[in-house]
Amino acid sequence: MPTTKTLQHCHYLTPYNRNTVLLKRFSLVLCCCCLFAAELNRETEEKLWHYRNLGKAFYENPTTQIQAIDVFKKALDLDPGSVREQVNYALALMRGGKTEAGVAELQKVQKEDPQLPHTWFNLGIYYRKNGDFEKAIQQFQQMVKLVPGEPKSH
């Protein structure tokens, strides 16, 4: 027969056991949440690559360049902080005939990440085509500073 001391000892173990069970349950739920988040990330990444590849195909075909805008916008909506998605979207806008919107998007990206040579190069091309040689030279000079070994820099 248990003594009072044994019962007291069991009483102190009970909360510990409940806490341990709760902690294990919490850990299991947290683990499931992490797996679910990883699955969502994998699905999102797959969708991103789908949109990137489809957008590139539309972008390179002169008859479907306008469709590239919508596809690259979907990629940007999936990952709004991605510089890659912003640049792709901007270039699609420019090639699809929405030049001013594309230039504005490239300028926005350039302000957010001035170390990205793509924006300097593409804005340089835009300014050169539009006869603003001074701005074009500034853009190209900055690109050369960022990637001096890049063949397009010379």
Side-chain angles (χ1 to χ4, degrees), residues 23-82:
L23 185 60
K24 286 181 182 178
R25 286 182 183 165
F26 176 75
S27 296
L28 181 63
V29 168
L30 185 61
C31 185
C32 289
C33 288
C34 288
L35 289 173
F36 181 70
E39 182 65 21
L40 282 178
N41 285 340
R42 188 180 64 77
E43 289 176 16
T44 300
E45 192 65 28
E46 285 177 8
K47 284 181 183 178
L48 273 173
W49 280 106
H50 169 76
Y51 291 140
R52 288 174 187 153
N53 290 332
L54 185 59
K56 185 170 171 53
F58 285 149
Y59 178 85
E60 292 177 353
N61 183 338
T63 64
T64 59
Q65 290 172 344
I66 292 175
Q67 291 169 284
I69 295 170
D70 295 331
V71 175
F72 282 130
K73 178 69 171 124
K74 288 178 183 178
L76 182 58
D77 290 343
L78 278 177
D79 193 0
S82 168

Side-chain angles (χ1 to χ4, degrees), residues 87-98:
V87 169
N88 285 343
Y89 178 61
L91 294 176
L93 284 167
M94 292 174 78
R95 189 171 276 189
K98 299 181 179 184

Side-chain angles (χ1 to χ4, degrees), residues 102-148:
V103 168
E105 190 72 23
L106 277 177
Q107 289 170 336
K108 180 177 132 188
V109 174
Q110 193 174 70
K111 286 178 184 166
E112 291 173 12
D113 188 358
Q115 299 300 310
L116 188 67
H118 301 81
T119 59
W120 298 98
F121 176 75
N122 286 293
L123 286 171
I125 295 291
Y126 167 76
Y127 291 131
R128 183 178 56 91
K129 283 183 178 178
N130 287 293
D132 193 341
F133 299 111
E134 188 174 315
K135 280 186 178 179
I137 290 170
Q138 291 171 354
Q139 295 290 318
F140 291 134
Q141 285 175 338
Q142 184 59 32
M143 184 196 145
V144 170
K145 287 179 188 175
L146 294 172
V147 284

